[in-house]
Amino acid sequence: MRQDLQSLPKTLAEDVARNLVMVARLLDEDPEAAYGYSRVALRLASRVAAVREAAGFAAYANQKYGEALAEFRAARRMTGSVELWPVMADCERGLGRPEKALDMAGAPEVHKLDKAGQVEMRLVAAGARRDMGQLDAAIVTLQSPELASNSVQPWTARLRYAYADALLAAGREREAREWFAKAVESDRDGSTDASDRLAELDGVEFMDALDEGEGEGRVEGESGTAPERDTDGPSAGDADKA
């Protein structure tokens, strides 16, 4: 990204960089604010591939899939890289075109992806199958050497989680529990809610808050209130202070 910005005058490059830093900082915790910063960067330097990519991810985080896809395509034209292919396919899912996502999963570009990109593409393809109501096909799509491997990679928890979730959707609860447990084992940075899903299958509910005077928090077996879980799948001024 720094190399991309070297094509700009120094002062402009610094202004764009500040906004991109804010996009990165806020993308997970405040995607709407991140989107605002990305629009500023885009207005300042729309011909820089890194800016188009950042704008794409900010739009994607705000479920603006058409806009995200346009930005990713622009970035890809500028760089010639296939790195964004999986997220572009997921944008097609977000736009209600799972068939297009599956076409992209079978395209030659997939063979040019690194291992992480290929796993991501497999997750997108399985999601597209589920969008089309093809649960068994989604399960088969996720069955791979990466899923069977005992080594833990950055993608392992998400792959195991997606497989467990597909099994559960297909009514295969015992197998789903096994794979949610494996997802928990590999989820070192808390990227999934596998532990909550596992507890839910085991009938364990957690009390988020206790009535006054009841003392310490506790785990309930048959009673209590479980926290709600989201189960769905698919301003430059402040930047100067960063």
Side-chain angles (χ1 to χ4, degrees), residues 228-241:
E228 291 186 2
R229 175 175 50 80
D230 181 4
T231 58
D232 294 335
S235 55
D238 290 341
D240 292 333
K241 303 174 186 176

Side-chain angles (χ1 to χ4, degrees), residues 105-125:
E109 284 82 355
V110 175
H111 301 294
K112 301 176 184 177
L113 294 168
D114 60 13
K115 180 61 68 177
Q118 290 178 5
V119 171
E120 195 66 34
M121 192 72 248
R122 189 178 291 276
L123 288 166
V124 172

Side-chain angles (χ1 to χ4, degrees), residues 1-206:
M1 188 174 287
R2 185 185 299 275
Q3 184 175 353
D4 276 0
L5 294 178
Q6 287 178 354
S7 64
L8 302 175
K10 185 174 186 296
T11 301
L12 178 59
E14 290 175 352
D15 288 344
V16 174
R18 289 190 184 100
N19 282 280
L20 294 180
V21 166
M22 295 305 294
V23 173
R25 286 182 177 177
L26 296 171
L27 194 61
D28 291 331
E29 63 186 57
D30 190 348
E32 187 174 350
Y35 178 77
Y37 284 107
S38 76
R39 300 307 295 178
V40 176
L42 193 59
R43 188 172 67 247
L44 294 173
S46 62
R47 296 184 180 182
V48 175
V51 172
R52 303 302 289 266
E53 182 175 333
F57 277 110
Y60 178 82
N62 284 275
Q63 300 182 7
K64 300 177 184 289
Y65 298 116
E67 186 177 320
L69 185 57
E71 297 300 342
F72 290 143
R73 284 173 173 167
R76 183 168 181 266
R77 283 195 301 271
M78 293 174 179
T79 64
S81 171
V82 298
E83 186 180 54
L84 295 171
W85 196 252
V87 72
M88 289 168 63
D90 207 37
C91 285
E92 295 288 0
R93 285 187 60 211
L95 291 168
R97 302 192 292 244
E99 297 89 350
K100 177 62 176 175
L102 285 177
D103 288 343
M104 293 179 69
E109 284 82 355
V110 175
H111 301 294
K112 301 176 184 177
L113 294 168
D114 60 13
K115 180 61 68 177
Q118 290 178 5
V119 171
E120 195 66 34
M121 192 72 248
R122 189 178 291 276
L123 288 166
V124 172
R129 292 291 186 188
R130 290 191 62 173
D131 293 342
M132 298 166 68
Q134 301 173 0
L135 284 175
D136 289 341
I139 290 169
V140 171
T141 298
L142 293 168
Q143 292 171 345
S144 62
E146 293 80 21
L147 179 67
S149 175
N150 290 323
S151 67
V152 175
Q153 303 295 335
W155 59 77
T156 302
R158 291 179 58 237
L159 184 59
R160 291 175 175 178
Y161 182 95
Y163 188 58
D165 196 47
L167 288 168
L168 188 60
R172 295 161 62 175
E173 186 172 317
R174 183 184 59 79
E175 295 170 86
R177 190 202 176 285
E178 175 187 345
W179 282 96
F180 276 127
K182 290 182 178 182
V184 171
E185 292 173 2
S186 57
D187 194 357
R188 296 170 178 170
D189 58 0
S191 61
T192 74
D193 65 346
S195 59
D196 292 342
R197 301 294 300 277
L198 184 61
E200 186 178 278
L201 285 173
D202 288 342
V204 177
E205 299 181 1
F206 296 93

Side-chain angles (χ1 to χ4, degrees), residues 203-211 218-229:
V204 177
E205 299 181 1
F206 296 93
M207 294 290 288
D208 282 340
L210 298 174
D211 292 335
R218 65 181 184 276
V219 177
E220 297 287 347
E222 297 298 332
S223 61
T225 303
E228 291 186 2
R229 175 175 50 80

